[in-house]
Amino acid sequence: MTRRAAGTQPSILAVVGRIPRGRVATYGQIAARAGLAGQARLVGYALHALPEGTPLPWHRVLGAGGRLSLMRSDPASALTQRLRLEREGVRFDARGRVDLTVFGWRPRR
């Protein structure tokens, strides 16, 4: 993890922790909510650094357009992510994407 990512990790993880069950958010959305607009990559670094078995809902964070992204060092993480989201009621289209207008997290200001 970069030094910048390490310094921003607490604010990023606080935002990720607020994503409710059955909802998803994009890396860019998390960055903006953490005060890091335009720094979506920092969100990826912060999530990648999470320890195995973390209770933080990392699986609720998707790439732009509702795409699954490989965030964990485990090569099967995209499948793990998809299965966890499906158990929460999140649905995927034929292209493997989540409809953000249906399942996207829209937090109150």
Side-chain angles (χ1 to χ4, degrees):
M1 177 178 342
T2 67
R3 181 172 287 166
R4 171 122 165 99
T8 58
Q9 188 176 29
S11 59
I12 291 168
L13 300 184
V15 174
V16 172
R18 293 191 350 245
I19 306 169
R21 184 176 178 80
R23 296 290 173 194
V24 296
T26 65
Y27 289 97
Q29 182 183 3
I30 298 301
R33 300 280 312 164
L36 302 163
Q39 304 283 332
R41 189 165 288 186
L42 289 179
V43 176
Y45 293 145
L47 294 180
H48 182 75
L50 289 172
E52 192 67 35
T54 180
L56 198 75
W58 62 267
H59 61 283
R60 296 179 186 152
V61 182
L62 301 174
R67 292 185 331 268
L68 290 175
S69 295
L70 203 55
M71 294 184 299
R72 315 286 297 165
S73 57
D74 173 11
S77 68
L79 177 59
T80 299
Q81 183 178 19
R82 181 176 178 138
L83 292 174
R84 284 183 177 191
L85 289 171
E86 286 177 338
R87 275 188 295 232
E88 294 183 3
V90 175
R91 300 287 167 241
F92 290 80
D93 67 16
R95 294 181 350 219
R97 294 180 184 222
V98 172
D99 185 342
L100 297 175
T101 61
V102 175
F103 296 103
W105 177 45
R106 289 178 280 294
R108 296 182 185 148
R109 295 271 175 215

